[in-house]
């Protein structure tokens, strides 16, 4: 299966207007999220390796994955080692991806990557290294792995756009209107005509909204564009639910909705307008952790003879999130008390079961802990998958027991690791 997928990708690489000598597949989505949705799990589909970190590089003759020491054993179990090579990036003798490409490709080679899956901060040093080696880094706007999946009748799942909900002031301590007012003040200091927010957690924080598009993360796929006179949310098909819009109006925000996929053409139009009608001093502000694709659109690259200079630095939303207000701090305290109660109840239950000689598997333990947590007020879900490692399994990094096949019981003399 892995070879078939590689073959399809390599055919697409060769068929590009400028044939690609290498194609990079990061573990990333368009928002630089720590956790990704299945629709963005391209490296996993291509290599079979399911670890949460790693970057694949495919050439006509090689297929490699760079990952860290947490995943060496997992990679060797999951990947087809006849077609894939593990690059142990934690070891000093392992060359970086940039050095490997510079050393193994010919001068004049073109390396492709989807610019939505790489931040400007990642793109720039890679481009510099390849240019120095007389190679070119090319933005391939239509993701080749997605195209390969369609060709093999294994299309990626639909991007989720689940229900979004408003988080009341009793939990946030500050209205969305107050937050946007403060952001506009920061924009004025930077002489920015617009602020583009691309990180999903920052959008959720700014608007006091929550979602469930990525497992264990209360976020929703979107972009946020703030100008001195407007607030535009690029979400789903662009129609903001009336209940959400009404809640935002109550907090002093008149929200405009646009389709999620309209962000790039909208930024391109904005760049043209700013170039034609601007005063030459104002620019667009976005985080250096925003994707290369968003940077290109915001600067007008490819559309303007002289692309705009961007304010590409730390997001003001990220800085605002660092300072918790009294309501947020008290929320943390109460949350930990409630969760502590659930964990204590769980350990008491586990000890009583094991001491009585009853069989309790790792999966049953994780399920019981979730049951106790659901008893607590305001519980919405765990923040990551529970790691219930009994005995030797407690030594496996990021251990996740399978619900299928043989189950490991928790024995009375076991050391039991619970990471939850």
């Amino acid at each position: 299966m892995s070879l078939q997928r590689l073959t399809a990708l390599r055919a697409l690489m060769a068929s590009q207007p400028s044939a690609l000598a290498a194609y990079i597949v990061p573990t990333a989505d368009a928002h630089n999220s720590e956790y990704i949705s299945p629709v963005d799990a391209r490296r996993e589909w291509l290599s079979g390796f399911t670890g949460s970190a790693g970057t694949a590089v495919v050439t006509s003759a090689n297929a490699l994955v760079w990952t860290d020491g947490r995943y060496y054993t997992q990679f060797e179990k999951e990947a087809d080692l006849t077609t894939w090579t593990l690059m142990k990036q934690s070891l000093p003798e392992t060359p970086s991806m940039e050095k490997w490409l510079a050393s193994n490709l010919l001068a004049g080679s073109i390396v492709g990557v989807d610019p939505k899956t790489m931040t400007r901060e990642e793109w720039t040093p890679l481009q510099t290294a390849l240019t120095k080696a007389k190679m070119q880094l090319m933005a391939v706007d239509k993701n080749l792995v997605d195209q390969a999946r369609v060709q093999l009748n294994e299309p990626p799942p639909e991007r989720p756009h689940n229900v979004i909900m408003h988080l009341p002031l009793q939990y946030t301590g500050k209205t969305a209107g107050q937050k946007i007012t403060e952001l506009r003040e920061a924009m004025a200091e930077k002489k920015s005509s617009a602020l583009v927010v691309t990180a999903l957690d920052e959008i959720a924080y700014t608007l006091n909204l929550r979602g469930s598009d990525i497992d264990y993360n209360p976020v929703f796929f979107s972009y946020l564009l703030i100008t001195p006179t407007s607030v535009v949310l690029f979400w789903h098909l662009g129609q903001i639910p009336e209940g959400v819009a009404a809640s935002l109006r109550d907090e002093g925000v008149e929200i405009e909705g646009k389709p999620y996929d309209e962000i790039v053409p909208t930024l391109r139009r904005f760049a043209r307008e700013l170039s034609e009608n601007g005063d030459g001093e104002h620019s667009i502000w976005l985080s250096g952790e925003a994707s290369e694709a968003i940077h290109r659109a915001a600067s007008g690259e490819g559309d303007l003879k002289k692309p705009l200079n961007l304010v590409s630095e730390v997001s003001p939303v990220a800085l605002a999130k660092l300072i918790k207000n009294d309501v947020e701090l008290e929320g943390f305290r109460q949350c930990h008390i409630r969760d502590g109660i659930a964990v204590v109840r769980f350990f008491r239950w586990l000890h009583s079961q094991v001491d009585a000689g009853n069989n309790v598997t790792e999966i049953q333990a994780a399920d019981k802990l979730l049951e106790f947590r659901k008893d607590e007020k305001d519980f919405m879900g765990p923040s990551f998958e529970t790691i219930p490692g009994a005995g030797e399994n407690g030594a496996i990094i990021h251990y996740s027991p399978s619900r299928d096949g043989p189950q490991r019981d928790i024995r009375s003399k076991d050391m039991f690791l619970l990471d939850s």
Side-chain angles (χ1 to χ4, degrees), residues 314-359:
V314 64
S315 164
V317 182
L319 295 177
K321 283 181 62 185
L322 292 174
I323 304 172
K324 306 302 181 186
N325 61 49
D326 290 341
V327 171
E328 291 171 316
L329 291 172
E330 184 60 21
F332 290 152
R333 297 184 190 105
Q334 293 303 318
C335 180
H336 278 287
I337 290 171
R338 293 193 297 270
D339 196 61
I341 291 170
V343 172
V344 169
R345 290 180 66 199
F346 163 74
F347 275 125
R348 180 185 181 280
W349 172 86
L350 180 62
H351 274 287
S352 66
Q353 293 295 311
V354 173
D355 291 346
N358 297 326
N359 292 334

Side-chain angles (χ1 to χ4, degrees), residues 344-385:
V344 169
R345 290 180 66 199
F346 163 74
F347 275 125
R348 180 185 181 280
W349 172 86
L350 180 62
H351 274 287
S352 66
Q353 293 295 311
V354 173
D355 291 346
N358 297 326
N359 292 334
V360 179
T361 67
E362 296 166 323
I363 289 291
Q364 289 171 334
D367 289 346
K368 190 66 177 181
L369 175 57
L370 181 59
E371 181 182 316
F372 284 129
R373 281 180 165 146
K374 287 181 178 179
D375 288 341
E376 297 300 320
K377 178 187 174 184
D378 291 338
F379 178 76
M380 298 296 291
S383 60
F384 59 92
E385 184 177 8

Side-chain angles (χ1 to χ4, degrees), residues 43-44 48-53 67-81 86 396-400:
R43 187 226 64 223
E44 178 180 329
F49 166 54
T50 64
S52 63
T67 192
D68 62 66
R70 295 174 295 169
Y71 299 108
Y72 295 167
T73 300
Q74 182 178 349
F75 179 91
E76 290 168 350
K77 286 182 178 179
E78 294 179 338
D80 180 355
L81 301 182
L86 171 62
I396 301 174
I397 300 172
H398 286 200
Y399 173 67
S400 177

Side-chain angles (χ1 to χ4, degrees), residues 77-392:
K77 286 182 178 179
E78 294 179 338
D80 180 355
L81 301 182
T82 64
T83 55
W84 286 93
T85 300
L86 171 62
M87 303 298 285
K88 299 180 178 181
Q89 68 183 35
S90 306
L91 303 184
E93 62 268 25
T94 301
S96 66
M97 180 181 68
E98 294 88 340
K99 288 184 178 179
W100 189 91
L101 289 168
S103 301
N104 288 273
L105 301 182
L106 298 175
S109 292
I110 299 175
V111 177
V113 65
D114 180 348
K116 295 185 294 296
T117 64
M118 189 170 283
T119 69
R120 170 58 62 93
E121 291 178 348
E122 295 167 331
W123 182 280
T124 300
L126 177 58
Q127 184 179 52
T128 299
L130 292 178
T131 301
K132 187 176 180 181
K134 298 182 180 179
M135 300 175 189
Q136 180 183 351
L137 181 60
M138 177 176 288
V140 182
D141 293 323
K142 292 185 178 180
N143 193 283
L144 298 189
V145 174
D146 291 349
Q147 292 183 54
R149 295 190 68 166
V150 171
Q151 288 184 1
L152 294 175
N153 294 318
E154 300 177 33
E158 292 292 324
R159 183 168 302 283
H161 290 288
N162 298 325
V163 174
I164 53 179
M165 58 173 283
H166 174 253
L167 202 62
L169 189 61
Q170 69 184 90
Y171 299 106
T172 65
K174 183 182 288 188
T175 67
Q178 289 174 290
K179 294 176 180 180
I180 289 171
T181 295
E182 291 172 3
L183 291 174
R184 283 173 169 156
E185 290 171 354
M187 291 165 56
E189 292 177 3
K190 292 283 185 181
K191 293 186 176 181
S192 296
S193 295
L195 172 65
V196 185
V197 187
T198 62
L200 302 183
D201 61 315
E202 294 182 12
I203 297 169
Y205 167 83
T206 302
L207 296 178
N208 291 339
L209 300 179
R210 299 294 185 267
S212 59
D213 289 351
I214 298 178
D215 288 346
Y216 309 113
N217 290 260
V219 298
F220 49 98
F221 284 110
S222 56
Y223 295 93
L224 185 63
L225 177 63
I226 300 173
T227 74
T229 59
S230 66
V231 180
V232 184
L233 180 65
F234 296 80
W235 175 76
H236 195 21
L237 300 178
Q239 186 171 356
I240 308 300
E242 179 52 38
V244 171
S247 295
L248 287 173
R249 279 196 296 271
D250 290 343
E251 294 198 2
V253 178
E254 194 65 43
I255 193 83
E256 177 186 352
K258 287 191 176 183
Y260 175 76
D261 292 332
E262 280 294 307
I263 182 63
V264 166
T266 298
L267 288 178
R268 284 176 174 162
R269 286 195 298 271
F270 195 94
R272 285 197 297 271
E273 292 171 5
L274 199 58
S275 174
E276 294 168 2
N277 306 319
D279 57 13
E281 295 183 3
H282 285 68
S283 186
I284 299 175
W285 187 358
L286 67 171
S287 168
E289 294 184 350
S291 73
E292 176 67 15
I294 292 296
H295 274 84
R296 288 172 176 241
S299 68
E301 185 171 337
D303 295 326
L304 303 177
K305 290 182 179 180
K306 184 181 179 182
L308 300 177
N309 291 320
L310 302 175
V311 178
S312 180
E313 56 185 49
V314 64
S315 164
V317 182
L319 295 177
K321 283 181 62 185
L322 292 174
I323 304 172
K324 306 302 181 186
N325 61 49
D326 290 341
V327 171
E328 291 171 316
L329 291 172
E330 184 60 21
F332 290 152
R333 297 184 190 105
Q334 293 303 318
C335 180
H336 278 287
I337 290 171
R338 293 193 297 270
D339 196 61
I341 291 170
V343 172
V344 169
R345 290 180 66 199
F346 163 74
F347 275 125
R348 180 185 181 280
W349 172 86
L350 180 62
H351 274 287
S352 66
Q353 293 295 311
V354 173
D355 291 346
N358 297 326
N359 292 334
V360 179
T361 67
E362 296 166 323
I363 289 291
Q364 289 171 334
D367 289 346
K368 190 66 177 181
L369 175 57
L370 181 59
E371 181 182 316
F372 284 129
R373 281 180 165 146
K374 287 181 178 179
D375 288 341
E376 297 300 320
K377 178 187 174 184
D378 291 338
F379 178 76
M380 298 296 291
S383 60
F384 59 92
E385 184 177 8
T386 293
I387 300 173
E392 68 283 357

